[in-house]
């Protein structure tokens, strides 16, 4: 089974089990998780859900190649269904009335972030590697990332979302993406303790987690020490202005980190960068449901491919041919005009009726106490 | 149901008893037995596309607005606070006046660093101006002190240099102003003269031997008063002064004077005092200035209209001092446009908070054993808030229209802009004060808490009814302009053209005697009624004035004596101008729910204006039955707008963080655990 289920009194432990693919979330896994989460919410005997991954990844992303196949074959609606179900799952997690503890002992990227960050507790370890690498793939940080990235301190979210920068466990804890840091050697004991939880009150879970948590030092070269530069540059109005602000910083004080950052931006899809920045900026002012509905609109435009086919190209260059040399179209930022960006945020006009993502109202009263603290 | 209620009461009573000793920290209050907050979104659905409506209301630069909202939310300088699980940004008004001034300046420097003011003075054209308007409006939603300080620096000082100055001034000052290397203020108002600028007493003379102007404050009533930024921050001032050349007064002119050195020390021959604590806008350092024969270089006269040559010869392209004065003041129109637009954003803020609260707060049951009623389900509560909401919508559309005309202004449109902006500034700022007061009362005691904003805004925005021209004087200016237009057209026997008076060329509209619901909601009827009212008042006003003039009174005095008609006329003119912009906006919309709801809003606007104005009844255009019909229709419209209330305030596009805790989960915000 691609999702393993363990029942320990009031606790359910779900393990993503596709280790060869680094637990990339496929259609079936998403449906299964959705089904399980809804069932546990209804089941009064379940108090806590633990989510973790088999092997060296928590979850390295969504299973994109089949989706891109749909797209190439002109069946983009099938691919859109994948995102619809995934975002619905993200929404259930974000408004869940019971505590979700995600143990991020390894790679957490894209869809993996969506399946964990919206939950109440996120445990990082010394093995955690976090990134939202979508702009390098011709996509944009989705799965509700415009909600959680935009709520990070200052303009760190723009930085993480646009550059695909990798964060370690200590950095995740520092910026709030993780709520706790537990050394991997203590995870077994922590899990055993968590299994004793008999209430869905998050404060009890919190007490247990607090007993295990450590406060790791940021590495000396940690990018989190560069928050001042990040805030100065990534607060700018446009992607172009962000890059020129970084270049100004680089001329004043050349350093590897800034140059790497500029390179990452210049290597990413110009379309992706522009829609990602707009998405994060809009997300900052919206609730999680609104963010997912908007992202669904955006991803449908990406899938439909009438504004850009960068996702196909990115997928080829990174995942299939692995030449890491995508040919983006439009090639330059200045060719990606505002009126094209605007279109990603509009309804999809389609002969066969296209509908907005429908999120059923949830009792978010209780959820507001349990929801992720970001 | 009754069993449930009994149980609930028992729980509440038990809670009271249990709570009489202070609860221990681990005793959590059980929300199930107390009142629960239920988010309005759970029970109210959006009947139209809120995003489309927001586009119509904000009108322009939506993405730039959102960027600036985010810029403020993400910085610690903007007093970010988490209350009841939500982030809010709003100034700490409990800071001392000095602290508020310092933090306002720091906020400005932060925005400067992030390029918010880029191009505010150095770029021209409609796009640049609209961008500036949009960002300026957003600053005001955060804190009016912030936008007032920016207004002084960019719109008064900066625009004075830009509009009154010539190339040499532009090159020297504009870029430095945009970068805040120069901090400017605008010294016009005096203790003895405010709205009557022509009467100011500050005198400037010219000394040809040193080629300098000498600015002097001849008496106490000539001290410059209320000068924003003067008390602490400004180092340069625009000085508005009479210019006396060889004993001849050439009238009001505009000069630049340095008032502080680079280290912030007040310059010799300048004295500055603080205006002190105010009922609002304490983040703005208003000061008073005296000039003791301050000498400034000859080049510091802003010489776009008139100049003094090195030998002391006065030259001007406009010979008539009256016209010269008009040319001087024309650029100040932009101030009125921005005041009107920020007044409407303030009303939006108040209404968004009050309406959201009224969709989650209940009070009283209609019958025993019934749940308490949601505030906005009371017809009386609807009647208090929804007509104000409709007016805010109409005025929002109207002020956008004015902005568009302003940014595309030509010599031909200047007069209309002057008149319309005067009327809008007065009517919209009065509307804002009234709206805020109603919203404050509509949220009850919660409105008294500064953190809930609606009550506090009254003090912050009150100044708008006075500065940049007292509202009453501006309204007189409107009716005088209409009077002049009327007299000139009649005299030359020419048709009316401009100021929206073209309807006077057609026969008087005839109103139906019976007013059905569909008649009342018909745009043609509404237009006819508004035109008829304006026409009738204008004719009455001109004939009354003419009659007095015929009896030998001066024109000025005759107009003054007819102040009641004058007030009614200027109000009728402005309300009609507003209605016209809504009709235009509506006509441009494609068929659909946005258009339909806007139609309801427009009808509410039109009918509430009629209901509140007795002049149609007074002069017999509407019968007693008619006004009864209007009144009934207003109530019906309240009921029809009620289901759209949440969506209508959501369309304002003001992010949650800029509203206040009572707009959201006010139970959690006030819970013991939130302390």
């Amino acid at each position: 089974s691609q999702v393993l289920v363990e029942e320990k009194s009031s606790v359910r432990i779900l393990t993503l089990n596709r280790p060869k693919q680094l637990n990339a979330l496929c259609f079936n896994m998403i449906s299964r998780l959705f089904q399980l989460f809804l069932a546990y919410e209804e089941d009064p005997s379940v108090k806590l859900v633990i989510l973790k991954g088999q092997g060296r990844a928590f979850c390295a992303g969504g299973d994109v190649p089949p989706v891109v196949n749909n797209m190439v074959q002109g069946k983009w609606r099938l691919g859109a269904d994948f995102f619809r179900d995934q975002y619905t799952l993200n929404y259930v997690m974000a408004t869940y009335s019971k505590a979700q503890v995600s143990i991020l002992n390894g790679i957490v990227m894209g869809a993996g972030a969506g399946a964990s960050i919206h939950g109440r507790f996120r445990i990082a370890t010394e093995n955690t590697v976090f990134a939202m690498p979508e702009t390098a793939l011709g996509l944009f940080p989705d799965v509700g990332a415009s909600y959680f990235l935009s709520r990070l301190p200052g303009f760190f979210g723009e930085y993480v979302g646009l550059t695909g920068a990798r964060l370690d466990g200590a950095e995740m804890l520092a910026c709030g993406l993780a709520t706790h840091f537990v050394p991997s050697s203590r995870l077994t004991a922590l899990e055993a303790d968590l299994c004793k939880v008999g209430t869905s009150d998050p404060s009890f879970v919190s007490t247990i987690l607090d007993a295990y948590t450590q406060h790791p030092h940021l590495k000396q070269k940690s990018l989190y020490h560069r928050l001042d530069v990040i805030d100065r540059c990534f607060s700018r109005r446009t992607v172009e202005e962000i890059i020129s602000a970084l270049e100004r910083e680089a001329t004043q004080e050349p350093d590897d980190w800034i140059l790497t950052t500029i390179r990452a931006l210049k290597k990413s899809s110009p379309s992706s960068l522009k829609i990602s920045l707009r998405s994060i900026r809009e997300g900052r002012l919206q609730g999680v449901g609104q963010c997912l509905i908007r992202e669904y609109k955006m991803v449908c435009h990406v899938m439909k491919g009438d504004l850009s086919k960068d996702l196909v190209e990115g997928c080829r260059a990174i995942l299939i041919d692995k030449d890491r040399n995508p040919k983006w179209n439009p090639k330059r930022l200045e060719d990606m005009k505002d009126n094209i960006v605007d279109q990603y945020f509009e309804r999809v006009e389609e002969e066969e009726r296209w509908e907005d993502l429908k999120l059923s109202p949830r009792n978010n009263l209780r959820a507001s106490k349990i929801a992720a603290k970001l | 149901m009754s069993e449930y209620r009994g149980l609930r009461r028992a729980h509440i009573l038990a809670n009271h008893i249990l709570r009489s000793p202070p609860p221990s920290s681990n005793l959590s209050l059980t929300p199930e037995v107390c009142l629960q907050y239920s988010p309005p979104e759970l029970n109210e659905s959006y009947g139209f596309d809120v995003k489309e409506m927001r586009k119509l209301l904000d009108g322009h630069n939506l993405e730039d607005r959102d960027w600036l909202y985010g810029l403020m939310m993400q910085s610690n300088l903007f007093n970010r606070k988490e209350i009841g699980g939500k982030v809010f940004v709003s100034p700490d008004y409990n800071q001392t006046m000095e602290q508020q001034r310092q933090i306002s300046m720091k906020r400005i420097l932060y925005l400067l660093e992030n390029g918010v003011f880029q191009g505010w003075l150095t770029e021209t054209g409609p796009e640049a101006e609209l961008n500036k308007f949009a960002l300026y409006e957003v600053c005001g939603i955060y804190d009016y002190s912030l936008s007032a300080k920016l207004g002084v620096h960019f719109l008064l000082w900066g625009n004075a240099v830009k509009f009154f100055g010539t190339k040499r001034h532009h090159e020297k000052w504009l870029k430095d102003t945009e970068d805040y290397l120069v901090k400017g203020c605008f010294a016009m108002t005096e203790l003895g003269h405010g709205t009557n600028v022509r009467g100011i007493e500050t005198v400037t003379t010219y000394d040809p031997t040193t080629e300098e102007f000498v600015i002097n404050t001849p008496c106490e009533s000539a001290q410059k008063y209320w000068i924003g930024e003067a008390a602490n921050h400004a180092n340069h001032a625009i000085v508005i002064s009479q210019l006396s050349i060889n004993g001849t007064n050439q009238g009001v002119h505009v000069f630049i004077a340095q008032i502080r050195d680079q280290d912030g020390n007040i310059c010799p021959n300048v004295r500055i005092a603080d205006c002190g604590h105010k009922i609002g806008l304490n983040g703005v350092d208003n000061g008073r200035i005296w000039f003791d024969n301050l000498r400034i270089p000859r080049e510091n006269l802003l010489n776009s209209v008139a100049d003094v040559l090195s030998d002391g010869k006065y030259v001007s392209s406009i010979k008539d001092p009256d016209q010269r004065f008009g040319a001087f003041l024309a650029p100040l129109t932009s101030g009125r446009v921005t005041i009107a637009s920020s007044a409407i954003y303030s009303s939006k803020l108040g209404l968004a908070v009050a309406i959201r609260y009224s969709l989650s707060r209940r009070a009283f049951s209609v019958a025993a054993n019934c749940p308490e009623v949601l505030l906005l389900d009371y017809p009386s509560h609807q009647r208090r808030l929804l007509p104000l909401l409709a007016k805010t919508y109409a005025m929002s559309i109207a002020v956008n229209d004015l902005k568009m005309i302003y940014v595309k202004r030509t010599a031909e449109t200047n007069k209309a802009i002057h008149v319309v902006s005067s009327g809008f500034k007065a009517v919209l700022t009065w509307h804002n004060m009234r709206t805020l007061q109603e919203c404050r009362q509509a949220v009850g005691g919660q409105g008294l808490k500064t953190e809930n904003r609606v009550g506090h805004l009254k003090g912050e925005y009150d100044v708008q009814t006075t500065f940049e021209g007292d509202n009453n004087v501006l309204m007189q200016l409107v009716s005088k302009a209409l009077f002049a237009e009327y007299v000139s057209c009649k005299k030359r026997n020419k048709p009316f053209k401009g100021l929206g008076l073209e309807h006077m060329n057609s026969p008087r509209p005839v109103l139906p005697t019976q007013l059905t619901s569909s008649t009342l909601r018909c745009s043609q009827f509404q237009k006819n009624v508004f035109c008829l009212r304006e026409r009738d008042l204008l004719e009455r006003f001109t004939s009354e004035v003419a009659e007095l003039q015929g009896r030998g009174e001066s024109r000025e005095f005759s107009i003054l004596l007819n102040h009641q008609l004058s007030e009614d006329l200027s109000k009728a003119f402005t309300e009609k101008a507003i209605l016209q912009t809504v009709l235009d906006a509506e006509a441009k919309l494609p068929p659909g729910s946005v258009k339909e709801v806007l139609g309801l809003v427009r009808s509410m606007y039109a009918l509430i204006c009629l209901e509140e104005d007795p002049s149609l009844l007074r002069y017999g255009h509407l019968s007693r039955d008619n006004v009864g019909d209007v009144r009934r229709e207003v109530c019906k419209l309240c009921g029809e707008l009620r289901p759209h209330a949440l969506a209508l305030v959501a369309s304002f596009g003001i992010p949650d963080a800029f509203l206040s805790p009572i707009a959201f989960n006010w139970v959690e915000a006030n819970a013991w655990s939130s302390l």
Side-chain angles (χ1 to χ4, degrees):
Chain A
S1 172
Q2 292 172 332
V3 178
L4 305 176
V5 180
E6 287 171 82
E7 300 194 359
K8 301 242 172 116
S9 65
S10 305
V11 178
R12 298 292 175 271
I13 304 176
L14 306 181
T15 307
L16 305 177
N17 186 33
R18 240 184 131 208
K20 272 189 192 156
Q21 287 85 10
L22 299 173
N23 299 325
L25 280 190
C26 61
F27 207 93
N28 289 338
M29 291 163 90
I30 289 168
S31 311
R32 181 77 181 129
L33 285 172
F34 185 68
Q35 196 188 3
L36 290 168
F37 266 80
L38 286 188
Y40 295 155
E41 196 165 43
E42 292 298 309
D43 183 349
S45 70
V46 177
K47 306 293 183 195
L48 175 72
V49 181
I50 297 177
L51 188 62
K52 58 182 191 173
Q54 189 71 266
R56 63 191 184 91
F58 169 79
C59 167
D63 195 10
V64 179
V67 174
V68 173
N69 257 342
N70 290 333
M71 196 178 158
V72 174
Q73 291 166 10
K75 295 180 195 155
W76 72 269
R77 297 291 288 261
L78 281 179
D81 290 347
F82 169 80
F83 290 102
R84 186 195 59 213
D85 288 5
Q86 187 179 189
Y87 296 177
T88 311
L89 173 66
N90 298 143
Y91 183 67
V92 168
M93 288 172 161
T95 54
Y96 209 54
S97 63
K98 294 176 182 177
Q100 174 190 348
V101 176
S102 302
I103 298 175
L104 311 175
N105 188 27
I107 301 167
V108 187
M109 290 187 188
S116 55
I117 307 300
H118 294 295
R120 180 68 177 84
F121 299 106
R122 290 89 64 188
I123 317 299
T125 73
E126 75 282 3
N127 299 321
T128 309
V129 182
F130 175 97
M132 296 302 286
E134 286 84 353
T135 57
L137 206 65
L139 195 59
F140 63 93
D142 61 338
V143 295
S146 63
Y147 179 79
F148 62 73
L149 287 180
S150 63
R151 278 155 179 81
L152 300 184
F155 297 86
F156 195 62
E158 273 94 336
Y159 167 68
V160 170
L162 295 185
T163 64
R166 295 183 169 202
L167 310 184
D168 64 20
E171 288 160 342
M172 281 186 80
L173 184 70
C175 74
L177 281 167
T179 56
H180 296 80
F181 182 97
V182 177
S184 59
S185 59
R186 302 200 67 201
L187 288 176
T188 318
L190 169 67
E191 240 178 73
D193 258 1
L194 285 174
C195 286
K196 293 175 194 152
V197 165
T199 162
S200 51
D201 184 338
S203 61
F204 288 90
V205 182
S206 211
T207 315
I208 296 171
L209 291 172
D210 288 348
Y212 283 87
T213 198
Q214 289 192 354
H215 292 281
H217 288 292
L218 290 168
K219 292 189 305 261
Q220 205 195 340
K221 293 194 104 180
S222 167
L223 49 88
Y224 207 67
H225 293 310
R226 313 307 298 272
L227 218 50
D228 53 339
V229 183
I230 289 172
D231 279 351
R232 273 203 299 276
C233 300
F234 284 85
S235 57
R236 295 307 174 121
R237 199 181 316 208
T238 61
V239 179
E240 289 92 328
E241 284 174 70
I242 290 173
I243 294 178
S244 45
L246 284 163
E247 285 171 340
R248 263 199 310 279
E249 295 276 343
T251 52
Q252 278 161 19
E253 209 181 321
D255 93 39
D256 286 349
W257 171 80
I258 295 183
L259 295 177
T260 313
T261 303
I262 296 172
R263 255 200 312 276
L265 289 172
K266 292 197 167 167
K267 238 182 128 46
S268 296
S269 150
S271 308
S272 291
L273 287 173
K274 287 210 171 173
I275 63 173
S276 301
L277 182 63
R278 168 90 71 96
S279 174
I280 294 169
R281 297 269 161 94
E282 286 198 9
R284 185 164 280 141
L285 311 178
Q286 293 174 326
V288 67
Q290 290 170 296
C291 284
L292 288 163
I293 290 169
R294 175 178 39 72
E295 288 176 7
Y296 180 68
K297 249 183 219 150
M298 296 168 67
V299 89
C300 283
H301 282 292
V302 171
M303 294 300 299
K304 201 177 168 196
D306 52 353
L307 299 170
S308 152
K309 291 200 168 39
D310 277 3
L311 177 59
V312 177
E313 175 60 11
C315 205
R316 181 203 64 74
I318 310 287
L319 302 175
I320 298 165
D321 297 350
K322 299 192 177 166
D323 61 13
R324 306 213 145 255
N325 191 18
K327 300 272 177 283
W328 303 125
N329 181 24
K331 211 170 131 199
R332 297 175 312 166
L333 281 168
E334 52 270 40
D335 297 331
M336 179 66 183
K337 302 286 182 214
D338 282 350
N339 61 338
I340 306 287
V341 176
D342 290 342
Q343 291 184 43
Y344 280 90
F345 296 80
E346 300 293 339
R347 284 185 56 82
V348 178
E349 296 306 334
E350 200 40 23
E351 286 161 28
E352 208 184 319
R353 213 171 129 71
W354 176 91
E355 279 190 357
D356 265 323
L357 179 65
K358 290 260 187 315
L359 300 171
S360 49
R362 296 178 42 86
N363 185 359
N364 42 6
L365 190 67
R366 181 124 182 80
S368 71
K369 291 198 173 59
I370 313 259
K373 298 284 180 248
L374 284 163
Chain B
M1 187 71 203
S2 68
E3 189 188 19
Y4 167 74
R5 270 182 69 85
L7 197 67
R8 210 179 94 174
R9 286 188 58 131
H11 271 294
I12 293 172
L13 283 173
N15 254 357
H16 281 306
I17 297 161
L18 279 176
R19 250 187 286 164
S20 39
S24 63
S25 60
N26 61 356
L27 177 73
S28 62
L29 298 178
T30 42
E32 285 77 14
V33 296
C34 286
L35 280 180
Q36 274 203 21
Y37 171 79
S38 172
E41 283 81 0
L42 273 187
N43 312 311
E44 312 277 327
S45 58
Y46 289 173
F48 59 87
D49 186 347
V50 163
K51 199 175 153 187
E52 286 305 309
M53 192 65 100
R54 184 191 170 196
K55 276 186 200 162
L56 181 74
L57 290 181
D58 272 340
H60 56 95
N61 299 80
L62 271 68
E63 197 190 343
D64 299 315
R65 292 172 197 265
D66 287 350
W67 166 64
L68 181 51
Y69 283 128
L71 208 53
M72 296 197 273
M73 282 169 67
Q74 295 305 101
S75 160
N76 292 329
L77 281 172
F78 290 80
N79 195 33
R80 218 181 130 93
K81 263 192 198 162
E82 204 190 301
I83 306 170
K86 277 191 92 84
V87 169
F88 293 98
V89 287
S90 182
D92 176 4
Y93 292 107
N94 200 29
Q95 284 186 324
T96 63
M97 179 180 85
E98 285 75 15
Q99 288 169 325
Q100 290 186 48
R101 291 170 175 185
Q102 292 312 320
I103 191 81
S104 296
M105 199 62 224
K106 276 192 192 157
R107 286 172 187 145
I108 287 175
L109 295 178
Y110 165 79
L111 298 177
L112 173 73
E113 223 174 86
N114 279 289
V116 173
F117 313 130
Q118 212 174 306
W120 276 29
L121 288 167
T122 52
E123 282 173 28
T124 47
E127 232 172 83
E129 290 207 77
L130 288 174
N131 169 61
K132 177 168 71 176
F133 274 130
L135 299 179
Y136 184 80
E137 285 159 2
V138 169
C139 289
I141 289 171
Y142 174 72
D143 176 26
Y144 200 42
S145 279
L146 183 63
S147 72
K149 271 180 95 71
L150 294 172
V152 166
H153 181 74
F154 286 103
L155 306 181
L156 293 175
W157 155 269
N159 275 353
V161 174
K162 195 167 171 174
F163 296 133
F164 303 137
T166 50
K167 194 159 171 267
R168 65 173 190 239
H169 305 109
H170 297 166
E171 282 168 0
K172 187 167 177 190
W173 305 102
L174 291 184
K175 181 79 175 72
D176 281 1
T177 298
E178 205 171 281
D179 297 340
Y180 268 90
L181 298 173
V182 166
K183 291 178 193 159
C185 65
F186 188 79
M188 182 157 83
T189 298
E190 296 175 357
L191 177 61
H193 291 86
T195 304
N196 179 15
V197 177
R198 294 183 84 165
I200 58 169
E201 297 171 286
T202 301
V203 178
T204 298
T205 51
Y206 181 69
D207 179 355
T209 58
T210 59
E211 298 192 17
E212 285 172 320
F213 287 108
V214 184
I215 305 177
N216 194 40
T217 304
C219 52
E220 283 300 355
S221 62
Q223 64 177 274
K224 294 294 181 186
Y225 215 100
W226 293 127
I227 311 308
E229 303 270 274
N232 299 126
H233 294 134
N235 46 32
H236 285 75
I238 290 288
V239 182
I240 313 284
S241 160
Q242 306 287 350
L243 174 62
S244 173
I245 297 289
N246 301 323
T248 309
N249 183 12
Q250 298 291 353
V252 171
H253 287 69
V254 186
F255 303 87
I256 290 178
Q258 185 166 1
I259 56 171
R260 285 191 175 84
D261 65 18
Q262 280 307 318
D263 302 325
N265 305 306
I266 296 170
C267 294
N269 299 67
V270 176
R271 286 174 287 146
I272 296 178
D274 204 307
C275 288
H277 194 265
K278 306 184 291 281
I279 64 164
L281 288 189
N282 281 302
V284 184
D285 48 318
N286 293 89
R288 300 143 62 191
I289 312 176
W290 292 258
F291 299 101
D292 304 321
N293 291 317
L294 176 71
R295 287 180 168 263
I296 58 166
R298 185 179 69 90
E299 291 74 25
N300 282 16
L301 168 68
L302 295 178
N303 59 340
S304 68
V305 173
D307 206 354
V308 173
L309 305 180
S310 55
D311 62 359
K313 187 166 181 273
Y314 182 80
V315 288
S316 173
S317 51
I318 306 176
K319 291 283 167 271
D320 175 31
D322 279 350
Q323 279 182 18
R324 207 153 61 212
F325 179 73
F328 274 133
L329 292 191
L332 295 181
T333 326
S334 85
R336 283 183 216 139
V337 179
T338 51
I339 289 168
S341 78
S342 58
I344 284 310
Y345 277 99
S346 157
S347 298
K348 288 177 180 173
L349 196 54
L351 285 164
V353 171
I355 285 177
R356 287 191 60 91
Y357 185 66
S358 72
L359 289 170
S360 66
R361 176 67 150 83
R362 295 169 182 271
F364 299 103
S365 310
V366 177
N369 296 334
C370 282
E372 287 184 295
V373 178
L374 212 52
L375 295 185
L376 203 63
D377 285 334
Y378 285 101
S380 57
H381 210 76
Q382 294 169 10
R383 176 62 185 79
R384 286 167 69 188
L385 295 177
L386 300 183
L388 293 173
L389 178 65
K391 280 190 165 184
T392 302
Y393 258 73
M395 292 174 184
S396 179
I397 291 166
V399 80
N400 272 340
D401 190 73
L402 174 63
K403 274 192 275 179
M404 294 303 164
I405 299 170
Y406 175 78
V407 299
K408 295 177 194 153
R409 64 193 172 276
T410 60
E412 288 77 50
T413 57
N414 270 341
K415 183 171 140 196
I417 293 172
H418 182 57
V419 177
V420 173
S421 70
S422 298
F424 279 15
K425 186 265 187 188
V427 168
L428 273 56
T429 59
W430 273 328
H431 164 76
N432 179 39
M433 291 312 292
R434 183 182 159 198
T435 302
L436 291 175
Q437 180 62 19
E438 197 61 63
C439 290
R440 204 298 290 151
Q441 293 180 60
V443 302
Q446 288 298 330
L448 303 171
K449 286 185 79 171
T450 307
E451 76 172 18
N452 288 329
R453 302 207 67 181
V454 282
H456 180 84
L457 286 174
K458 291 191 292 169
E460 296 291 316
Y461 278 85
D462 201 342
V463 63
Q464 288 196 327
T465 59
T466 296
F467 68 9
E468 299 260 345
D470 170 84
N471 277 3
N472 291 288
V473 178
L474 291 181
M475 287 304 260
Q476 286 167 16
L477 183 152
V478 171
S479 45
K480 272 188 206 168
L482 294 173
F483 175 90
E485 196 68 20
Y486 186 91
V487 170
S488 128
C489 285
K490 290 288 164 198
K491 208 181 198 171
R492 291 179 295 147
N493 202 18
K494 281 209 165 156
F496 289 94
K497 193 164 177 293
L499 294 177
L501 292 176
E502 290 82 358
H503 65 94
M504 308 266 298
N505 301 321
S506 323
R508 256 169 191 268
V510 179
L511 302 180
T513 45
Q514 300 282 328
L515 297 181
T516 63
S517 179
S518 64
T519 310
L520 287 166
R521 293 181 190 209
C522 162
S523 56
Q524 190 56 50
F525 164 79
Q526 293 162 3
K527 219 179 138 172
N528 283 349
V529 141
F530 276 60
C531 286
L532 182 64
R533 177 175 63 154
E534 178 182 67
R535 177 186 201 133
D536 183 60
L537 287 167
L538 180 51
E539 284 167 356
R540 280 173 198 280
F541 183 53
T542 46
S543 79
E544 295 278 332
V545 170
E547 196 193 311
L548 280 177
Q549 279 182 289
R551 283 195 253 140
E553 299 289 0
S554 74
R555 175 163 144 164
E556 279 299 308
F557 189 65
S558 307
I559 287 175
L560 287 185
L561 281 184
N562 278 293
H563 61 94
Q564 287 175 317
L565 269 172
S566 158
E567 275 167 34
D568 288 346
L569 170 62
S570 49
K571 191 165 148 243
F573 166 83
T574 310
E575 288 183 349
K576 197 204 89 192
I578 292 169
L579 177 67
Q580 188 58 53
T581 63
V582 184
L583 289 168
D584 294 345
E586 209 182 319
K588 278 188 211 136
L589 286 175
S593 47
V594 171
K595 194 187 183 99
E596 280 165 31
V597 173
L598 189 67
L600 290 179
V601 168
R602 182 251 308 148
S603 284
M604 174 66 102
Y605 170 75
L607 297 185
I608 196 68
C609 286
L610 298 183
E611 202 215 25
E612 288 171 352
D613 183 1
S615 69
L616 287 154
L617 183 63
R618 180 184 303 129
Y619 299 119
H621 300 296
L622 292 182
S623 67
R624 275 173 61 188
D625 283 349
N626 289 160
V627 293
D629 292 335
V630 168
R631 195 171 168 82
R632 260 189 303 280
E633 200 63 21
V634 165
C635 280
K636 251 174 91 183
L637 280 167
C638 280
E640 287 173 48
L641 282 173
R642 159 68 185 84
H644 299 294
L646 183 67
L648 286 168
V649 295
S651 306
F652 290 155
I654 303 174
D656 295 358
F658 292 76
L659 300 180
S660 70
I662 51 164
F664 303 97
N665 191 342
W666 41 268
V667 179
E668 195 178 328
N670 286 287
W672 181 260
S673 56
S674 296
L675 280 179

